[in-house]
Amino acid sequence: MYENITKCTIRLDVILIIEKRETVYVVSDSVGETAALVVKAVATQFNGDILTIEHQSYVEDFNDIEEVLQLAAKHPTIIAYTIVVPLLKEYLDRRAKEEGIVAVDLLNPLMDAFMKTFNKEPNHQPKLMRQLDKEYFRKIEAVEFAVKYDDGRDPNGILRADIVLVGISRTSKTPLSMYLAHKGFKVANVPLVPEVPLPEEVYKIPRNNCVGLIISPEKLNKIRQERLKSLGLTSDANYASFERILNELSYAEKIMKRIGCPIINVSDKAIEETADQILEVLKKERSSL
């Protein structure tokens, strides 16, 4: 019985705490993430763990603002807002004052400082941050794509890629894929190995989506010898022999000619330099269609 009373007391305490929670309404003509972060940062200075944050996103007209005011008028609260459309901002300021509700503008004071200091006018256009976010997530998606379709792991990505890189081992396919992915391109790369049959998708790649990578035999010999050393193997293994390298390069060039793709020599080039050349070559290929 005592145990039951204790449980009830705890529940009652929780209910009382919930009823006493302070509320801030985050109002925005976009998602409202900026306002929410600012509110949380301030709330931590006032035992923010008992603060309730209510969101009203994508405010587009006076009715949206009136809905928030009706809710906020029921109990002491604060409205923290990020609204860049002047007409909506002015309406919210006026109506909040009439209702006796504290409304805090989180953007316009800084926007005014920008205007005065840099002598520039703002766009007063909502959702611009979301456009930046789309660009960010596009890059993340491209990086995930490059990882998934690296080194020919899954041929399904070959025809879905913006760019396909083909070449023999140690021609910088993977670092180039990652670098181009950070520029927002979905890149797949396929290793060319004489003993390994290529997936049929390789021969269906549009030539303006594919680039072949080659390298000088001498440069490749040095790179592969260093690779063998890092693996604790002897440098005279077949992988680094000139005969093997020449055979692979000959095989690769035949494949690239069959595909009909442009070919770039990566010898003594930085990743950035090669990537820029790839984009330039493909741009010319696509413009010629």
Side-chain angles (χ1 to χ4, degrees), residues 137-149 177-187:
F137 286 116
R138 187 171 70 88
K139 289 183 180 180
I140 295 298
E141 185 180 358
V143 170
E144 291 176 346
F145 187 96
V147 171
K148 182 175 182 179
Y149 299 109
S177 296
M178 296 305 164
Y179 183 85
L180 290 167
H182 278 91
K183 288 182 172 288
F185 297 97
K186 292 181 179 179
V187 186

Side-chain angles (χ1 to χ4, degrees), residues 11 17 24 27 46 68 75 80 112 123 144-145 177 205-206 223 242 256 283:
R11 288 170 184 166
I17 289 172
V24 175
V27 181
F46 298 91
V68 179
H75 52 88
D112 288 342
N123 293 319
E144 291 176 346
F145 187 96
S177 296
I205 308 170
I223 292 173
F242 266 104
M256 293 170 193
K283 182 179 178 181

Side-chain angles (χ1 to χ4, degrees), residues 168-263:
I168 64 176
S169 174
R170 316 314 292 177
T171 50
S172 302
K173 296 185 300 298
T174 296
L176 280 168
S177 296
M178 296 305 164
Y179 183 85
L180 290 167
H182 278 91
K183 288 182 172 288
F185 297 97
K186 292 181 179 179
V187 186
N189 72 77
V190 181
L192 302 181
V193 183
E195 296 81 7
V196 180
L198 287 170
E200 284 301 314
E201 288 84 351
V202 169
Y203 302 111
K204 299 176 183 178
I205 308 170
R207 59 170 292 154
N208 59 351
N209 277 11
C210 183
V211 172
L213 305 176
I214 60 170
I215 190 172
S216 72
E218 295 78 13
K219 182 69 175 179
L220 185 55
N221 175 256
K222 290 180 181 178
I223 292 173
R224 288 191 173 183
Q225 284 184 353
E226 290 300 320
R227 176 60 175 164
L228 289 171
K229 287 180 183 178
S230 69
L231 295 174
L233 303 173
T234 59
S235 59
D236 59 352
N238 185 47
Y239 176 70
S241 72
F242 266 104
E243 183 180 359
R244 171 69 186 183
I245 288 172
L246 291 173
N247 285 338
E248 286 189 36
L249 287 171
S250 176
Y251 167 77
E253 288 184 8
K254 288 178 182 177
I255 297 296
M256 293 170 193
K257 287 178 180 177
R258 181 175 172 183
I259 297 172
C261 64
I263 299 173

Side-chain angles (χ1 to χ4, degrees), residues 26-43:
V26 170
V27 181
S28 177
D29 45 21
S30 187
V31 177
E33 293 170 336
T34 302
L37 287 172
V38 172
V39 169
K40 288 177 182 178
V42 174

